[in-house]
């Protein structure tokens, strides 16, 4: 089964617009022949300039978060249509830093996902268990609840646009990557839940990315696993040489 392979960078709260544009100029000279789709989730303020810099390349620009409303009195928030207007094509939803630092619930993430699809933004739904949940053998239960709640109103047709990212919280920014076996076990479980919800044909087409301390040294082993279709990368996406190295190993 061939699925779209996606290598996505998540810049979190790093870089200025100039640094971001320089990065794109540098990256595009290194990854022109990549077979994987290259996604970059950048800070809001640089969506527009990076989208312009990436025009005509295989680099797709997106955002790291959005609100579930189309507009309104929500100081400090941003709407999907604003992201789209700035040039974003996708949006990360439910990243563990949003869930844990900013206390976003499964229900809020569900509403955002529904709105992202209406606003024609491709959602990358991030899910993952904490160390404590893994230690108490709750990983599958947590993943199932996160998936089923977030996808509550997503039709079969819309589901073909959704990407899922499995990011165990204990592996994010810690240098502690899940082994390929641990990651594959979780990915296979996620696909099983997706199959239960949408059937085999659709679940077989959904790209499931792994995230958590991915770097040039571990990408190949992860990508060799049957249900791992790409990666969502934080730290190693900030330097164009390192990020290009990851991409070119896929
Ligand atoms: P990391 O972050 O690659 O730095 O662990 C991954 C993420 O937060 O998406």
């Amino acid at each position: 089964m061939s699925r779209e392979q996606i290598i996505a960078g998540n810049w979190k709260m790093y870089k200025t617009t100039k640094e971001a544009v320089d990065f794109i100029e540098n990256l595009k000279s290194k990854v022109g022949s990549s077979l994987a789709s290259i996604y970059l989730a950048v800070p809001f303020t640089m969506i527009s300039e990076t989208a312009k810099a990436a025009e005509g390349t295989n680099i797709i620009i997106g955002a790291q978060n959005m609100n579930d409303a189309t507009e309104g009195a929500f100081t400090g928030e941003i709407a999907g249509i604003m992201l789209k207007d700035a040039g974003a094509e996708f949006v990360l939803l439910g990243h563990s830093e949003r869930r844990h630092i900013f206390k976003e619930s499964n229900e809020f993430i569900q509403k955002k996902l529904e709105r992202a699809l209406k606003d024609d933004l491709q959602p990358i739904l991030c899910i993952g268990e904490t160390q404590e949940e893994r230690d108490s053998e709750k990983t599958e239960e947590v993943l199932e609840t996160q998936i089923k709640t977030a996808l509550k109103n997503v039709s079969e047709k819309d589901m073909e646009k959704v990407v899922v990212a499995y990011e165990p919280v204990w592996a994010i920014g810690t240098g502690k990557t899940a082994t390929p076996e641990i990651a594959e076990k979780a990915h296979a479980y996620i696909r099983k839940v997706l199959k239960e919800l949408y059937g085999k044909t659709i679940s077989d087409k959904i790209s499931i990315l792994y995230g958590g301390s991915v770097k040039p040294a571990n990408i190949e082993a992860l990508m060799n696993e049957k249900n791992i279709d790409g990666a969502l990368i934080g730290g190693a996406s900030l330097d164009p040489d390192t990020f290009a190295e990851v991409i070119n190993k896929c």
Side-chain angles (χ1 to χ4, degrees), residues 10 12 95-97 167 171-175 211-214 232-236:
N10 171 15
K12 309 192 180 186
H95 187 278
S96 79
E97 285 147 22
E167 297 206 305
I172 298 179
T174 56
S213 301
V214 174
L232 178 55
I233 306 172

Side-chain angles (χ1 to χ4, degrees), residues 12 18 22 28 41 57 64 70 73 75 94 101 110 129 131 149 154 163 186 189 203 223 239 247-248:
K12 309 192 180 186
K18 182 175 183 319
D22 288 349
K28 66 187 185 194
T57 72
Q64 301 168 17
T70 45
T75 303
I101 306 173
Q110 182 272 321
E129 81 288 359
Q131 183 73 63
T149 312
V154 178
V163 171
Y189 184 75
S203 65
M223 292 296 283
D239 172 70
I247 294 164
N248 291 327

